[in-house]
Amino acid sequence: MPRSMTPVCAERCVHFRTAGTRQRKKSRTQATLNTSTRRHFHTIRCAEQREISAHVFSTRNILTKSSVIFRRLVLTAAGLKALASSTAANGFLHKVLGAGGGSNGHDGFSFSGGGGGGGNDPIFGAQPAYARTDDEYEDDIYGLEDDEGDDEEYEDEDGEEDDDSEGGRDVESRGDKQGSQLKKAKSKDSFICESVLATNLPTGPGIPTKSELFQGLNARRGVELSKKDLSDDLEQLLNTGLFANVDANVTPKKSGYAVEFVFREKIWPKIQTFKVAGATALPRDIELQVLQAAQKSQNCTVRVLATAKNIIESYYTSKGLTFGTISHFDGMENGEVIAHLVEGEISRVQAVYLDENMQPIEGNKGFTHPRVIQREHNFKVGNLYNVEDAKTALRDIFLLQLFDNVQVVPRPDEKDPSKVQVDIMLRERPVRTAETELEWSIAPGEQGRPDLVSARPGGSVFFEQRNLDGWGRQLFGSVSTANFFQPQDDLGFKLEYVHPYCYGDGDAFKSSFKTAVFNTRKLSPTFTGGPLMTDVPAVWIDRAGMKATLTQNFSRQSRCNTSLVLEEITTRDDSGAVCAHGAKQLSNGVLSADGPRTTHSETGTDRMLFLQSNCTRDTTKFVNGTQIGSRDIVQFDQSLGLSSRMPIFNRFTAELTRFFQVCSENKKTALPPPVFVAHSKLGHIVGNCSSYDAFTLGGPHSCRGYSVGELGAARSFLETAIELRIPVPYLNTHAFTFWESCTDLNSSSKVLGNPTEYYRRAGKGISYGFGLKLGPVRAEWCSDNNQGNGATYIRFGERF
């Protein structure tokens, strides 16, 4: 944050920075507290313990002048590593408490001063929701220097006096240097501070420690102090509003003077009622919980108020409302305590476009229309800032694939520091891209040496327009072939257009329309030989046509796709000729072409028009890298027989998978928890379905241990699987063991031409095995129960 964005208090701004003991030095958090000083003072108590009194400031006036400091944690999504982190920000309002004079003073904390204490209370101000624990970042913001000796200066936090031996060793190690500093004091009222002590300092959760309180004081070990410096330190401690009185004792030592601050805690009557002002998201139960906890104490002290503060702010943090903080308390003098709350209401949401150097573009003009960004986040003016909304916005905006860098940054509202302005920082990707790939196939040649299969290159050409007219509409195209010199032999292409929010920006389902024109070629697993028949001529399925799809999103992972497909299907052999029947090689080496028909018609070509729907309900989540939850998928294809040449059929499948967490994960490690997986899938076909659309059994996503289609082709099937995943120490992954079964339910004979029997396949199978998952790779050993053989496989992706 630029230094100019931090408001400065009247005449002087004193910075306190949290620094823990040496044991907590690596995890320390810094907090900056501002207090107004040098205003309307009557008398000052210095080393001689003169009485202190401070002019009364009204809470409203000082709140207006108090400093608001925001720290931010920028979530950056760069490249494909978008979802690395969450976004959060920190902003809190420092309330300033009036100082009470004598025994009848009044303070802005809204309770009696009780003998000289009072003033600003930075400790009970709004604490940071999420602050960067980056010392260099905060030092740059607040103008602080990281003094490695800070922790050693104020490491005593229990109210007892510091051990003089350590301070003595420190002083003696400097020896003559300290003595020379003492001799060079500017006046007789100046002295060298040898050590800083604290007596009767209250401790407890939510109460500032000695290191926190003393961080911005003038009194430091080895520093030359004057009476004015010491009186300023006393004033700063009193202005926290935590103490009824603070005295300073200066005692001569061997190489200087020891400064001892003696604290007297404020005590008020027992809390009778407790209310929260300014809360819109806090349930009444939390107020009652605070009241019950406070009434356990006979008096109202700083510890009681700290407990109330912790309870309320912990609730807001648990709900993701990280700006929900208590600004100040009042009403302690009569037992009717009121906690004033700041919740972090959003006052503005703006998209900020960045150039290549991550600097805002002049005029804030980007190619993408701002409404494309607005419909992807839940930030609204008047709502409370929620860190979960920031995470969702970061993920969804990056998934648009329009930006290579996304940041969500809350900032203080300059007009009202209790409110938040949300800036969404965006760096756009190139709108148009094109890629070309060339490839040559290599196979073993003579004497086993690698040789080119053909000198003619294959490859693909790909192009895309990611953002048509700046509204996020996309156009993709690709062309591929195995021979660029004769592409007509196996040319494959695809042209796709995507129109997001086809029903308008207000569509809750984020409906998108997609249309595609395609020509693809794939090897059919229906016409594959069993384990006893290996030399089977391949049958290729060419599909050319067009497809229109409407997608509706019910949640981030649950959606429904409805498509209308018109296509022409042609079956071909390895030479590219139309193949109307399957073939196999007989025992005498003769090729028999009297196999089952490859298409519904006898010509080797079918034309179909059908309606396809796919609905997915997915509630899974990742716990230390492994899935937990449930997933259900239902799909059906209904053909529309517009002529006698078009087959009429209905093809239905249902898939149910459950991921059960066996026991809780270890919070201290990144090991995934043990998981038990149960999976079941079934399908059925009614009508004149062609062989190439029959269900194929076997393969890595059907029944492991068998090749794709090795078990057969069926009109009905049932597959079941169970898997136990066990964490592996040190690797932060899991090993697994599984059992799977697949059967055609005796429906293979109903497939046109019965390819299961013709190619001597079993129609059912069972497998079991074990494996290890390493990132996206699965290494597994599987046993084929039909043949009694085992084999090792390396696969990519998840089984379920």
Side-chain angles (χ1 to χ4, degrees):
M1 181 185 303
R3 211 177 287 272
S4 60
M5 293 183 60
T6 305
V8 181
C9 293
E11 296 192 21
R12 181 176 180 183
C13 185
V14 180
H15 298 280
F16 289 82
R17 185 179 60 184
T18 301
T21 61
R22 249 174 279 167
Q23 293 79 2
R24 297 189 317 223
K25 186 172 181 180
K26 294 184 179 179
S27 61
R28 67 188 185 183
T29 304
Q30 296 186 349
T32 301
L33 309 175
N34 297 341
T35 58
S36 300
T37 61
R38 299 181 180 175
R39 300 201 50 184
H40 305 283
F41 291 109
H42 299 299
T43 55
I44 303 271
R45 169 189 289 254
C46 57
E48 292 80 11
Q49 298 187 1
R50 293 193 296 266
E51 202 58 30
I52 294 179
S53 177
H55 186 69
V56 178
F57 291 98
S58 67
T59 303
R60 169 181 291 182
N61 292 338
I62 301 183
L63 275 174
T64 303
K65 297 179 182 179
S66 62
S67 175
V68 178
I69 297 176
F70 274 66
R71 304 179 199 162
R72 68 183 185 181
L73 173 62
V74 175
L75 290 182
T76 302
L80 295 179
K81 299 179 180 179
L83 307 177
S85 115
S86 62
T87 185
N90 158 35
F92 63 93
L93 175 63
H94 293 287
K95 71 253 153 252
V96 183
L97 306 174
S103 61
N104 58 354
H106 174 73
D107 55 25
F109 213 76
S110 295
F111 50 81
S112 59
N120 307 342
D121 182 10
I123 301 304
F124 288 93
Q127 298 297 320
Y130 285 88
R132 285 182 57 175
T133 57
D134 184 348
D135 294 344
E136 294 181 0
Y137 177 74
E138 294 191 353
D139 292 351
D140 180 63
I141 294 178
Y142 307 122
L144 298 174
E145 296 181 359
D146 189 5
D147 186 356
E148 296 181 355
D150 288 350
D151 296 336
E152 297 179 1
E153 291 180 26
Y154 308 125
E155 66 179 349
D156 182 14
E157 300 180 6
D158 57 3
E160 297 180 2
E161 294 188 3
D162 293 343
D163 188 352
D164 287 344
S165 61
E166 182 177 0
R169 287 193 301 269
D170 243 0
V171 174
E172 291 173 6
S173 65
R174 289 191 287 264
D176 297 337
K177 181 178 180 181
Q178 292 283 1
S180 62
Q181 287 182 345
L182 183 59
K183 295 178 182 178
K184 294 180 181 178
K186 295 181 179 179
S187 67
K188 62 180 182 179
D189 293 331
S190 299
F191 60 92
I192 298 299
C193 178
E194 179 183 308
S195 61
V196 182
L197 314 176
T199 303
N200 299 331
L201 182 65
T203 59
I207 300 176
T209 63
K210 175 184 174 182
S211 299
E212 295 169 352
L213 284 174
F214 287 6
Q215 195 57 238
L217 298 185
N218 297 315
R220 291 173 177 268
R221 182 180 301 160
V223 175
E224 181 180 339
L225 297 177
S226 65
K227 293 182 179 180
K228 183 179 183 305
D229 293 333
L230 193 58
S231 65
D232 288 344
D233 289 349
L234 286 170
E235 179 193 350
Q236 293 172 26
L237 294 174
L238 284 171
N239 284 341
T240 62
L242 304 177
F243 313 108
N245 189 32
V246 180
D247 294 334
N249 297 328
V250 180
T251 306
K253 293 292 184 180
K254 180 178 179 181
S255 301
Y257 292 84
V259 178
E260 177 189 14
F261 292 101
V262 182
F263 300 90
R264 181 159 62 89
E265 184 180 2
K266 282 190 176 181
I267 299 177
W268 302 275
K270 182 177 181 180
I271 296 179
Q272 302 298 326
T273 62
F274 183 85
K275 295 182 180 180
V276 179
T280 60
L282 187 71
R284 175 61 180 168
D285 296 343
I286 302 299
E287 294 185 15
L288 297 177
Q289 180 182 349
V290 172
L291 182 60
Q292 292 174 359
Q295 289 183 341
K296 295 179 181 179
S297 177
Q298 297 298 322
N299 299 299
C300 177
T301 63
V302 172
R303 294 179 178 85
V304 175
L305 298 179
T307 301
K309 171 178 172 291
N310 291 339
I311 292 175
I312 294 174
E313 293 183 357
S314 296
Y315 172 82
Y316 275 86
T317 301
S318 66
K319 298 300 180 181
L321 304 173
T322 54
F323 282 92
T325 52
I326 293 178
S327 63
H328 63 285
F329 294 90
D330 59 32
M332 277 73 67
E333 66 278 1
N334 54 13
E336 298 177 354
V337 179
I338 299 177
H340 295 267
L341 194 65
V342 174
E343 293 184 310
E345 178 183 335
I346 298 175
S347 61
R348 189 199 68 185
V349 182
Q350 181 183 13
V352 180
Y353 297 95
L354 307 176
D355 58 19
E356 295 181 355
N357 299 321
M358 298 298 294
Q359 298 299 319
I361 297 176
E362 184 177 357
N364 197 27
K365 293 182 180 180
F367 185 78
T368 305
H369 197 282
R371 282 173 54 186
V372 176
I373 311 303
Q374 294 172 7
R375 62 195 185 192
E376 297 297 334
H377 63 75
N378 297 323
F379 295 123
K380 293 182 179 179
V381 175
N383 290 357
L384 301 183
Y385 178 85
N386 194 312
V387 69
E388 296 301 324
D389 292 339
K391 295 177 183 178
T392 302
L394 180 69
R395 180 195 65 220
D396 293 347
I397 293 174
F398 191 81
L399 289 178
L400 292 174
Q401 299 182 358
L402 303 179
F403 311 98
D404 60 9
N405 192 291
V406 181
Q407 303 176 16
V408 179
V409 182
R411 301 182 183 276
D413 190 330
E414 296 179 358
K415 297 180 180 179
D416 186 354
S418 65
K419 296 184 178 181
V420 180
Q421 294 179 346
V422 180
D423 289 346
I424 302 176
M425 321 293 284
L426 307 165
R427 187 173 68 180
E428 295 178 301
R429 297 175 62 185
V431 176
R432 290 179 291 270
T433 59
E435 298 178 2
T436 302
E437 294 182 358
L438 295 178
E439 58 183 25
W440 286 266
S441 299
I442 298 177
E446 296 181 1
Q447 300 179 354
R449 290 178 298 182
D451 194 8
L452 289 175
V453 175
S454 173
R456 294 171 295 185
S460 61
V461 177
F462 172 81
F463 68 92
E464 65 176 339
Q465 163 60 268
R466 295 191 181 94
N467 198 358
L468 290 172
D469 297 330
W471 286 95
R473 298 159 190 167
Q474 300 174 351
L475 181 66
F476 304 93
S478 65
V479 178
S480 62
T481 180
N483 183 0
F484 268 120
F485 297 123
Q486 294 179 333
Q488 66 275 10
D489 293 342
D490 64 342
L491 183 66
F493 64 86
K494 185 176 183 180
L495 183 64
E496 182 176 285
Y497 170 75
V498 181
H499 187 123
Y501 288 86
C502 57
Y503 291 152
D505 295 347
D507 182 15
F509 297 137
K510 300 182 179 180
S511 303
S512 63
F513 175 76
K514 179 192 300 182
T515 182
V517 180
F518 58 88
N519 180 17
T520 62
R521 171 176 290 188
K522 293 183 179 180
L523 184 65
S524 174
T526 301
F527 307 97
T528 301
L532 302 178
M533 184 179 293
T534 57
D535 296 331
V536 176
V539 176
W540 295 85
I541 307 297
D542 279 1
R543 296 177 184 265
M546 60 186 305
K547 180 178 182 180
T549 304
L550 177 67
T551 301
Q552 293 181 303
N553 300 279
F554 305 114
S555 69
R556 184 171 64 91
Q557 301 177 127
S558 300
R559 62 181 57 88
C560 181
N561 300 321
T562 304
S563 304
L564 182 65
V565 183
L566 175 64
E567 62 182 2
E568 181 183 77
I569 302 99
T570 304
T571 55
R572 301 180 184 274
D573 58 17
D574 286 332
S575 65
V578 177
C579 174
H581 292 269
K584 65 179 180 180
Q585 190 173 8
L586 302 178
S587 58
N588 58 4
V590 178
L591 187 64
S592 173
D594 60 348
R597 290 210 314 248
T598 57
T599 59
H600 179 70
S601 65
E602 296 183 357
T603 62
T605 300
D606 287 340
R607 293 180 177 88
M608 286 197 304
L609 175 66
F610 63 95
L611 186 68
Q612 183 181 82
S613 179
N614 178 290
C615 295
T616 302
R617 175 186 174 273
D618 191 344
T619 62
T620 59
K621 63 179 181 179
F622 283 89
V623 178
N624 289 351
T626 189
Q627 282 182 308
I628 303 296
S630 62
R631 183 191 298 118
D632 303 325
I633 302 175
V634 177
Q635 177 175 324
F636 73 87
D637 301 337
Q638 176 63 57
S639 68
L640 306 174
L642 301 182
S643 67
S644 59
R645 295 184 179 181
M646 292 185 175
I648 302 176
F649 67 92
N650 179 275
R651 188 174 187 264
F652 171 82
T653 59
E655 179 179 351
L656 296 89
T657 309
R658 297 292 182 269
F659 303 87
F660 300 101
Q661 185 172 344
V662 177
C663 61
S664 300
E665 68 276 12
N666 189 342
K667 302 293 186 180
K668 298 181 180 180
T669 66
L671 278 177
V675 176
F676 178 77
V677 184
H679 170 80
S680 179
K681 186 177 182 180
L682 58 89
H684 183 65
I685 297 175
V686 178
N688 301 321
C689 182
S690 302
S691 299
Y692 50 77
D693 279 335
F695 299 114
T696 54
L697 311 181
H701 297 286
S702 175
C703 188
R704 284 175 279 189
Y706 303 91
S707 59
V708 178
E710 182 180 342
L711 294 178
R715 292 175 65 92
S716 302
F717 78 99
L718 173 65
E719 68 179 43
T720 55
I722 56 175
E723 181 174 290
L724 179 62
R725 301 175 177 178
I726 303 171
V728 179
Y730 304 108
L731 296 180
N732 291 335
T733 184
H734 58 251
F736 56 88
T737 180
F738 63 88
W739 178 91
E740 295 185 346
S741 172
C742 185
T743 176
D744 62 0
L745 301 176
N746 297 321
S747 64
S748 295
S749 59
K750 299 178 182 179
V751 178
L752 188 63
N754 194 0
T756 300
E757 181 180 0
Y758 182 80
Y759 293 109
R760 302 175 65 182
R761 292 179 286 188
K764 61 181 178 180
I766 296 176
S767 67
Y768 59 88
F770 56 87
L772 179 67
K773 190 173 186 300
L774 298 172
V777 179
R778 287 185 295 122
E780 54 190 21
W781 179 87
C782 306
S783 174
D784 175 355
N785 201 51
N786 290 349
Q787 299 295 320
N789 300 326
T792 301
Y793 299 90
I794 302 296
R795 307 191 188 278
F796 291 87
E798 295 287 346
R799 162 64 176 91
F800 305 106

